[in-house]
């Protein structure tokens, strides 16, 4: 009897192990599929600018009768495409460092308003677009202890997106800060067309963009923001019930190492 119950226990153990193996196998297949999809997206994103660079440099090299204006135009295209490639590679590298967990944080204390000032001037520098910024500086007096550069990077991305994608006649970006116990919430909401509902779910995924237009980026910006906020013990979410595009950045007032995921 003892022998048979031991056999039964062993056979249960075996089927549990078999199930675990199957799970692991499924996860591995899924990871490998994700990796393939990622590589194919990266190659696609690289190919488009590379094709332009090749075509326009060939014209410059082989066409004898180009006017100075034409030469300038083609050289400018090559230059823009090279910048685009550099941005893409920098974003990919940044994302891979953030995802690998090898990122080191540089924590200091700063008024939230100062972080926003810096992000606004950096995101809007040079572009004298019509985007109006609406702020309440009193609420921004709160001090945060965090990686200020990384937090600023998130704000820069959101402000630059509002500048790029908000198509309202009088584009506005409202920045609203709310202190909530040991956390602080920063809402950044524009008055543009917003983001289509069936896109809300994937807005923070890599390479997701509403229209794959040439003027925009590769759809990595918000994925980077998501990773950064996770590292800062906070989060970023899309406020879908609002008109326009509205994002909420939440972070602890003091970054605690054990909060980092
Ligand atoms: P990208 O580098 O393409 O700007 P993001 O990840 O920052 O990538 O944004 C992803 C996509 O979300 C954009 O391509 C755009 O289609 C949409 N989007 C982001 N911000 C806004 C906004 N403020 N208004 C409308 N659409 C936006």
């Amino acid at each position: 009897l003892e022998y048979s119950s031991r056999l039964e226990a062993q056979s249960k153990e075996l089927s549990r192990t078999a199930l675990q193996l199957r799970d692991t196998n499924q996860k591995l297949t899924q990871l490998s599929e994700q990796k393939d999809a990622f590589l194919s997206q990266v190659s696609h994103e690289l190919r488009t600018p590379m094709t332009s660079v090749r075509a326009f440099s060939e014209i410059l090299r082989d066409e004898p009768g180009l006017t100075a204006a034409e030469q300038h135009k083609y050289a400018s295209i090559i230059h823009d495409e090279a910048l685009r490639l550099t941005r893409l590679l920098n974003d990919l590298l940044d994302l891979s460092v953030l995802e690998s967990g090898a990122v080191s944080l540089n924590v200091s204390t700063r008024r939230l308003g100062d972080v926003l000032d810096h992000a606004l001037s950096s995101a809007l520098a040079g572009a004298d677009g019509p985007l109006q910024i609406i702020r309440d500086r009193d609420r921004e007096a709160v001090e945060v202890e965090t990686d200020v550069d990384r937090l600023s990077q998130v704000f820069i991305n959101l402000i630059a997106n509002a500048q790029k994608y908000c198509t309202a006649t009088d584009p506005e970006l409202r920045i609203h800060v709310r202190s909530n116990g040991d956390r602080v919430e920063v809402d950044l909401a524009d008055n543009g067309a917003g983001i289509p509902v069936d896109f809300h779910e994937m807005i923070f995924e890599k390479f997701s963009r509403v229209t794959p237009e040439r003027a925009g980026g590769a759809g990595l910006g918000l994925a980077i923001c998501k990773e950064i906020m996770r590292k800062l013990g906070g989060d970023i979410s899309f406020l879908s019930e609002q008109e326009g595009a509205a994002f909420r950045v939440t972070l602890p007032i003091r970054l605690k190492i054990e909060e980092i995921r």
Side-chain angles (χ1 to χ4, degrees):
L1 191 69
E2 198 188 304
Y3 180 68
S4 93
S5 70
R6 224 174 37 224
L7 257 187
E8 204 179 316
Q10 275 175 351
S11 119
K12 269 193 190 141
E13 182 68 36
L14 262 180
S15 34
R16 233 196 330 267
T17 314
L19 278 179
Q20 278 168 352
L21 263 179
R22 207 188 53 191
D23 272 5
T24 313
N25 222 342
Q26 271 171 356
K27 271 187 207 128
L28 277 177
T29 314
Q30 208 181 3
L31 274 177
S32 156
E33 280 166 8
Q34 280 172 5
K35 198 190 85 197
D36 289 348
F38 177 73
L39 277 179
S40 107
Q41 277 163 324
V42 170
S43 333
H44 175 77
E45 291 299 327
L46 291 175
R47 196 173 302 125
T48 320
M50 283 314 285
T51 306
S52 292
V53 167
R54 207 177 59 213
F56 286 103
S57 57
E58 275 168 17
I59 298 177
L60 279 176
R61 188 192 61 193
D62 301 336
E63 291 287 327
L66 292 178
T67 64
E70 283 167 336
Q71 284 181 18
H72 183 263
K73 184 173 149 204
Y74 298 150
S76 301
I77 297 177
I78 295 173
H79 181 250
D80 289 350
E81 294 300 310
L83 282 182
R84 204 176 150 74
L85 277 169
T86 311
R87 264 201 308 269
L88 177 62
L89 291 176
N90 284 338
D91 280 355
L92 283 170
L93 269 178
D94 203 18
L95 202 54
S96 114
V97 168
L98 284 161
E99 282 180 345
S100 75
V103 61
S104 54
L105 296 175
N106 216 334
V107 179
S108 62
T109 305
R110 197 77 50 90
R111 270 183 68 249
L112 192 57
D114 292 346
V115 187
L116 285 165
D117 281 345
H118 170 266
L120 281 161
S121 57
S122 169
L124 304 175
D128 41 274
L131 186 67
Q132 261 227 61
I133 309 294
I134 300 159
R135 297 169 66 178
D136 180 349
R137 285 173 190 277
D138 291 343
R139 290 168 164 277
E140 295 173 7
V142 55
E143 289 202 331
V144 288
E145 188 178 327
T146 189
D147 188 317
V148 171
D149 288 340
R150 285 297 190 177
L151 179 62
S152 184
Q153 189 183 347
V154 171
F155 291 145
I156 289 172
N157 215 301
L158 294 175
I159 299 161
N161 276 355
Q163 165 103 331
K164 265 192 289 186
Y165 302 117
C166 179
T167 48
T169 338
D170 294 310
E172 277 176 13
L173 179 68
R174 230 166 245 281
I175 304 179
H176 185 79
V177 175
R178 202 174 307 109
S179 298
N180 195 351
D182 56 357
R183 300 183 84 72
V184 54
E185 286 172 3
V186 188
D187 288 0
L188 296 97
D190 70 36
N191 61 344
I195 292 171
V197 174
D198 45 352
F199 201 75
H200 291 175
E201 289 273 305
M202 49 188 161
I203 187 79
F204 293 104
E205 278 168 28
K206 284 174 252 190
F207 300 109
S208 63
R209 51 197 163 185
V210 179
T211 41
E213 40 167 319
R214 305 274 291 131
L220 292 174
L222 289 174
I224 293 175
C225 291
K226 191 83 185 174
E227 280 302 320
I228 292 176
M229 289 320 300
R230 198 171 292 164
K231 289 281 173 302
L232 298 185
D235 197 10
I236 176 171
S237 58
F238 182 69
L239 304 174
S240 50
E241 69 281 4
Q242 297 210 14
E243 274 178 47
F247 291 87
R248 174 165 298 163
V249 172
T250 317
L251 76 154
I253 285 178
R254 301 190 60 185
L255 175 60
K256 295 190 198 79
I257 296 302
E258 62 270 21
E259 277 187 75
I260 300 172
R261 281 163 280 165

